[in-house]
Amino acid sequence: MKHLFKKGINKGGPTLLLLHGTGGNEHDLLPLVDMIAPGASVLSVRGNVLENGMPRFFRRLSEGVFDEEDLLFRTNELNEFVNEKAEEYEFDRNQVVAIGYSNGANIAASMMYHHEKALNGAILFHAMVPRREVQLPNLSNVNVFVGAGKRDPLIPFNETKELIDNLQKANANVTEYWVEGGHQLVREEVEQAQAWFNEHY
Ligand code: MLT
C-alpha cells in the first residue's frame, strides 16, 4: 500500500496510523499530528481502492452502504500491512493509535471490530458503524476518542451512538465529543482529541 513513515523523536510513545477520508491521500492528515502528538512516529497510508479516481480504504455500494466483503478483505489487508511495517520500521505493534477521518475512521473502527490487538487506541473523526450483527473482540485497554457532528448529513446521531455503544459493550474506554457542525472536521474537536491524547498516552 502507498504510505509514508516518519520516525518520531518521542521514543516511548505510540505510533500514529493515519487514515484519510475519501479522495484523500497519505499527506492529508499530517497537520493533525503536529496538533495532537508532535514528536510521534507516523505511519500514514493511502487507501488502495479507487472510486472515480478517489482513493478509499474499501468499496461501497452507495453512500453509507458498504461492500461488506470488500470491507472485511481490506480490513485484514490493512491489519497485515501494519504488522509488516512494524517489523520493517521497528515500531511497537502493540502501541499503535489510529487517527482516521470519515472513510479512514470507518476502516479504523472496522479494525477494532475484527481484530482484538489491531489498535491500542483510536481517534475516530466522523465515523460510521462499519458492520452490524458481529461479535466484537474484547477491547479492554483500548482507548477511543469519537469526534462527531450534531448535524452530520452522512451520519445520523443514532448511528454514532450505536458505534459508541458497540465499542463500550466490548469494554473499550470511549470518550465522545460533539461539535455543532456537520461532516467536516473542525479545529475544536482536534483540540479535544489532543487533550484526550495527552491524558491517555
Ligand atoms: C464511507 O463510505 O466510508 C463513508 O460514507 C464516509 C465517506 O467516505 O464519505
Side-chain angles (χ1 to χ4, degrees):
M1 299 181 83
K2 283 217 173 88
H3 69 282
L4 61 83
F5 180 77
K6 280 200 333 187
K7 185 138 198 80
I9 48 162
N10 190 354
K11 295 274 178 296
T15 295
L16 303 180
L17 173 65
L18 303 188
L19 303 165
H20 61 79
T22 299
N25 63 43
E26 64 277 25
H27 301 283
D28 280 14
L29 301 188
L30 290 176
L32 296 184
V33 175
D34 297 335
M35 290 173 74
I36 295 172
S41 292
V42 173
L43 176 65
S44 188
V45 185
R46 186 187 300 192
N48 55 3
V49 165
L50 286 180
E51 184 186 271
N52 301 323
M54 295 185 297
R56 287 175 52 83
F57 288 95
F58 55 89
R59 291 199 191 98
R60 61 180 162 183
L61 305 175
S62 59
E63 200 170 87
V65 183
F66 301 155
D67 177 335
E68 279 211 12
E69 201 181 310
D70 191 60
L71 172 63
L72 208 51
F73 178 81
R74 303 289 168 192
T75 300
N76 295 336
E77 181 184 51
L78 180 60
N79 191 46
E80 202 44 52
F81 179 80
V82 178
N83 293 347
E84 280 165 24
K85 293 299 145 191
E87 287 206 4
E88 183 180 334
Y89 297 125
E90 299 179 337
F91 62 82
D92 184 351
R93 180 64 185 90
N94 297 316
Q95 286 282 327
V96 174
V97 174
I99 302 181
Y101 167 64
S102 190
N103 182 244
N106 293 343
I107 196 145
S110 182
M111 285 174 88
M112 292 188 285
Y113 270 52
H114 296 105
H115 297 277
E116 185 170 349
K117 300 218 178 324
L119 299 174
N120 180 247
I123 295 175
L124 305 178
F125 290 124
H126 304 256
M128 293 171 162
V129 174
R131 262 188 103 193
R132 294 194 161 82
E133 285 153 38
V134 287
Q135 177 74 42
L136 274 67
N138 182 10
L139 298 175
S140 50
N141 305 320
V142 178
N143 302 306
V144 184
F145 175 93
V146 172
K150 287 184 194 163
R151 274 176 284 282
D152 191 326
L154 285 180
I155 313 173
F157 178 84
N158 283 341
E159 177 155 357
T160 302
K161 283 291 184 192
E162 186 184 341
L163 172 70
I164 293 167
D165 190 53
N166 289 170
L167 292 167
Q168 283 175 332
K169 285 198 173 122
N171 305 315
N173 174 23
V174 185
T175 301
E176 59 191 284
Y177 187 77
W178 292 83
V179 293
E180 290 299 324
H183 198 62
Q184 213 187 333
L185 182 60
V186 296
R187 189 176 190 93
E188 179 192 339
E189 60 191 310
V190 178
E191 284 167 359
Q192 292 296 321
Q194 184 218 0
W196 170 90
F197 187 89
N198 286 342
E199 193 184 314
H200 292 93
Y201 298 97

